[in-house]
Amino acid sequence: MTGPADEHRHTAEAFTERVRGVAPGDWDRPAPCAGWVARDVVGHLVEWFPGFLRAGAGVDLPKGPSVAEDPVGAWTVHSDGVQALLDDPATADRVLNNPNIGEMPLDQAVAMFYTTDVFLHTWDLARATGQDERLDAERCAMLLEGMLPMDAVLRSSGHYGPRVEVPDDADPQTRLLAFIGRTP
């Protein structure tokens, strides 16, 4: 991948494939995130990120239908809006300011916080709805390598569950999922 826009495009396409693959009656199936169903996985991504962008960079994403009424439509409008933001040449000059992370280029903040979240939740939606759970092994290894040194900080954020023990020779996807608290 060459940059945040391409990374998001690739990651969002994989998630979109899973969203479109959910059978109508499967949106209420339990997800691997405690207390969530499949619809909540989409809702999480569609709901937290617009506020993050608005507060940190003054960016308003297009608003689609509610996830409760139309999870596919809600995701499509949201994902297309994020992609348009990243494809806009002016985004390269924008900065996100956040009290927890300070200032960083907007496109890098999107890649670090949001696109990574979409990547990880692709597995959650696939697991909840019986779809292909495979994630890119290289990206899994890269993410895990970057997250390991921040173990205590990530755990204390409340966004990750307790680490799940897996064999040392487990594949990168299994190790990453176990690190973030999923039972692969």
Side-chain angles (χ1 to χ4, degrees):
M1 291 178 234
T2 59
D6 289 334
E7 183 180 340
H8 178 267
R9 184 175 291 106
H10 177 73
T11 302
E13 284 172 359
F15 190 80
T16 299
E17 186 178 305
R18 301 320 187 284
V19 169
R20 290 184 178 149
V22 177
D26 287 348
W27 283 109
D28 292 320
R29 288 180 60 179
C33 307
W36 284 13
V37 296
R39 180 184 316 275
D40 297 327
V41 176
V42 175
H44 164 72
L45 294 169
V46 168
E47 292 163 7
W48 80 265
F49 192 59
F52 179 78
L53 282 178
R54 189 177 313 105
V59 171
D60 285 312
L61 291 174
K63 189 156 175 52
S66 77
V67 174
E69 293 174 18
D70 182 5
V72 176
W75 169 253
T76 301
V77 170
H78 174 78
S79 179
D80 289 350
V82 174
Q83 192 63 54
L85 173 68
L86 291 170
D87 286 339
D88 183 346
T91 298
D93 297 327
R94 296 187 79 161
V95 172
L96 180 119
N97 191 341
N98 179 285
N100 298 314
I101 60 170
E103 285 189 1
M104 69 186 313
L106 178 58
D107 59 351
Q108 290 178 21
V110 171
M112 180 181 289
F113 298 102
Y114 174 74
T115 304
T116 296
D117 206 29
V118 175
F119 179 78
L120 295 171
H121 286 302
T122 299
W123 183 84
D124 294 324
L125 186 60
R127 172 62 60 105
T129 58
Q131 297 185 66
D132 182 1
E133 298 177 5
R134 289 173 295 169
L135 300 175
D136 179 85
E138 220 174 281
R139 183 138 184 233
C140 288
M142 180 193 72
L143 284 174
L144 181 59
E145 184 179 324
M147 294 169 110
L148 283 171
M150 301 184 299
D151 189 3
V153 172
L154 293 173
R155 264 330 132 228
S156 68
S157 74
H159 296 292
Y160 298 94
R163 194 176 190 163
V164 174
E165 293 302 318
V166 294
D168 291 339
D169 63 347
D171 63 85
Q173 177 175 319
T174 299
R175 290 192 327 253
L176 175 65
L177 292 169
F179 178 81
I180 65 170
R182 304 298 193 273
T183 304

